[in-house]
């Protein structure tokens, strides 16, 4: 396996805490881990394709998706292929794996981890992956769990902030949409606690507010967080607007909000500072007007592209933890 440029290797910061064996919660990462991943993502973005394609040649990634996915699955698989890995898996594991026969997740992970070098898993239950990962013989990366967490989405969100602003410390982030069932915001606020002076303002439809336990947790970790009194407040002082869709598939029919999230269109854009950025984990439904896509503040398609390199960095890091800096032998 060939290494990356020495320039990159020399600038990689030393992380004191070991990288977590499994990546299932944003909370397990330290700031140093996050910064190391961002540097790797930047290096992999600029490295010659022919070089990165040799990096993990012969290694195998397993991919198990128990819930629908476009970006997360395809970017993980493309990231793996760009690093030279082979990919095996099920894109509809609820139907096309032994889950259909009643096999428990821990058994499936025990079995498939005998075939591969690392596993990427999306699951419909909030907490199932954490316990099941302990049964895996190889590192497990969460690709989203129920309405719980989505740690690599948060990493690519914050990587986007780092690229757009040159820093994350001190940013004021306005969270819009479904903060109760949206797993991306749960991981995002946890990851933002690793930075200094971040302020989080929230504007959610009634009934879709951030869970109170999470509010307490991130406040205790040092984040200033409050519910906006008005749309103007959430827009006018924001550095970042993080919009999300209502997770309709997770909402019991009798709990659908009567009012949907604020739709961000040209009128809302007019209230947003010129330096601000709009992010969205995607897919969008009606909460982002396509008419604003060409505004330079609309960063969501750049965010998607960043996801590929960030996920390459995550796979690279986890394989390095297994096989060492020297790569596969
Ligand atoms: C998100 C998810 O799956 O949680 N999508 C994604 O991974 N980019 C957001 C969503 O589905 O609303």
């Amino acid at each position: 396996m060939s290494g990356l440029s020495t320039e990159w290797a020399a600038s990689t910061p030393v992380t004191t805490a070991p990288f977590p064996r499994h990546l299932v919660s944003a909370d397990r990462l330290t700031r140093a881990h996050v910064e190391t991943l961002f540097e790797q993502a930047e290096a992999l973005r600029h490295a010659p394709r022919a070089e990165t394609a040799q990096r993990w040649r012969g290694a195998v990634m397993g991919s198990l998706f128990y819930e629908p996915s476009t970006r997360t699955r395809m970017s993980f698989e493309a990231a793996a292929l760009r690093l030279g890995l082979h990919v095996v898996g099920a894109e509809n594991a609820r139907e096309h794996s032994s889950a259909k026969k009643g096999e428990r997740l821990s058994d499936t992970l025990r079995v498939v981890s005998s075939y591969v070098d690392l596993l990427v898993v999306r699951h419909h239950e909030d907490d199932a992956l954490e316990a099941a990962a302990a049964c895996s013989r190889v590192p497990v990366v969460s690709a989203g769990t129920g309405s719980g967490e989505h740690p690599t989405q948060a990493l690519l969100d914050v990587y986007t902030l780092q690229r757009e602003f040159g820093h994350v410390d001190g940013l004021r982030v306005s969270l819009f949409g479904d903060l109760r069932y949206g797993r991306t915001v749960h991981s995002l606020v946890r990851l933002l606690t690793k930075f200094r002076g971040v302020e989080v303002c929230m504007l959610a439809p009634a009934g879709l507010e951030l869970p109170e336990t999470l509010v307490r947790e991130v406040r205790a970790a040092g984040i200033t967080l409050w519910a906006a009194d008005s749309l103007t407040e959430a827009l006018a002082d924001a550095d970042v607007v993080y919009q999300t869709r209502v997770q309709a598939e997770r909402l019991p029919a009798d709990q659908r909000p009567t009012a949907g999230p604020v739709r961000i269109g040209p009128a809302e854009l007019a209230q947003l500072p010129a330096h601000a950025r709009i992010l969205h984990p995607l897919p969008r439904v009606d909460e982002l007007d396509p008419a604003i896509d060409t505004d330079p503040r609309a960063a969501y398609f750049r965010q998607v592209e960043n996801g590929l390199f960030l996920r390459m960095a995550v796979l690279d890091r986890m394989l390095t933890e297994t096989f060492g800096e020297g790569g596969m032998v």
Side-chain angles (χ1 to χ4, degrees):
M1 192 206 77
S2 67
L4 281 182
S5 69
T6 46
E7 198 185 311
W8 168 70
S11 66
T12 304
V14 178
T15 50
T16 41
F19 201 80
R21 165 128 178 105
H22 306 295
L23 183 47
V24 290
S25 169
D27 206 37
R28 303 285 157 75
L29 297 166
T30 65
R31 181 171 178 149
H33 294 144
V34 174
E35 288 177 348
T36 303
L37 289 172
F38 292 175
E39 289 211 20
Q40 279 173 313
E42 221 40 48
L44 290 162
R45 180 192 293 268
H46 295 110
R49 290 281 293 273
E51 192 181 308
T52 51
Q54 293 299 316
R55 197 160 163 72
W56 294 105
R57 200 154 59 107
V60 183
M61 182 183 93
S63 163
L64 280 174
F65 279 71
Y66 292 83
E67 275 191 341
S69 174
T70 303
R71 275 149 290 272
T72 305
R73 186 179 62 79
M74 291 189 67
S75 62
F76 261 120
E77 294 187 4
L81 294 171
R82 281 179 178 237
L83 288 168
L85 289 114
H86 301 281
V87 178
V88 295
E91 71 176 71
N92 180 359
R94 245 166 137 166
E95 290 297 317
H96 299 152
S97 79
S98 290
K100 189 77 178 166
K101 304 176 187 171
E103 185 173 53
R104 53 177 67 86
L105 181 63
S106 54
D107 279 353
T108 305
L109 297 196
R110 196 186 301 265
V111 168
V112 298
S113 64
S114 307
Y115 311 144
V116 300
D117 298 300
L118 92 176
L119 268 167
V120 174
V121 183
R122 168 168 286 189
H123 202 266
H124 45 282
E125 289 171 21
D126 292 14
D127 303 318
L129 191 56
E130 180 103 20
C135 298
S136 169
R137 297 164 58 157
V138 300
V140 175
V141 184
S142 165
T145 46
S147 52
E149 281 225 39
H150 195 345
T152 63
Q153 179 68 43
L155 280 166
L156 77 88
D157 296 341
V158 179
Y159 176 45
T160 300
L161 300 183
Q162 176 67 40
R163 294 197 97 237
E164 296 285 327
F165 293 94
H167 64 96
V168 181
D169 290 333
L171 289 177
R172 179 169 154 180
V173 182
S174 287
L175 301 177
F176 279 65
D178 185 350
L179 310 186
R180 177 163 178 198
Y181 296 101
R183 57 194 170 197
T184 70
V185 285
H186 300 165
S187 289
L188 179 59
V189 290
R190 288 193 168 113
L191 203 61
L192 288 173
T193 64
K194 316 292 172 183
F195 294 84
R196 280 185 294 277
V198 174
E199 296 184 352
V200 176
C201 170
M202 303 177 290
L203 192 71
L208 299 183
E209 295 90 353
L210 201 68
E212 204 39 53
T213 49
L214 188 52
V215 169
R216 281 198 291 275
E217 178 191 320
V218 297
R219 276 199 183 131
I223 289 250
T224 308
L225 177 135
W226 72 97
D229 285 331
S230 65
L231 174 62
T232 302
E233 185 196 353
L235 291 172
D237 297 325
D239 298 310
V240 182
V241 164
Y242 190 93
Q243 175 68 295
T244 60
R245 75 180 171 96
V246 173
Q247 306 282 301
E249 71 275 30
R250 304 192 193 288
L251 280 165
D254 60 343
Q255 283 180 31
R256 300 263 154 86
T258 42
V262 171
R263 177 177 162 93
I264 300 179
E268 288 68 33
L269 218 58
Q271 295 190 59
L272 200 62
H275 75 274
R277 294 290 185 271
I278 302 170
L279 273 67
H280 191 306
L282 303 178
R284 68 172 150 195
V285 189
D286 289 323
E287 66 286 345
L288 272 186
D289 185 342
I292 67 167
D293 289 356
T294 50
D295 189 287
R297 289 169 288 182
Y300 30 90
F301 292 119
R302 297 194 289 276
Q303 188 184 352
V304 164
E305 192 189 355
N306 294 337
L308 172 69
F309 299 111
L310 187 280
R311 289 190 168 119
M312 286 176 78
V314 167
L315 299 180
D316 189 66
R317 182 74 249 151
M318 311 227 34
L319 289 166
T320 300
E321 293 292 319
T322 303
F323 296 105
E325 295 288 343
M328 302 199 58
V329 233

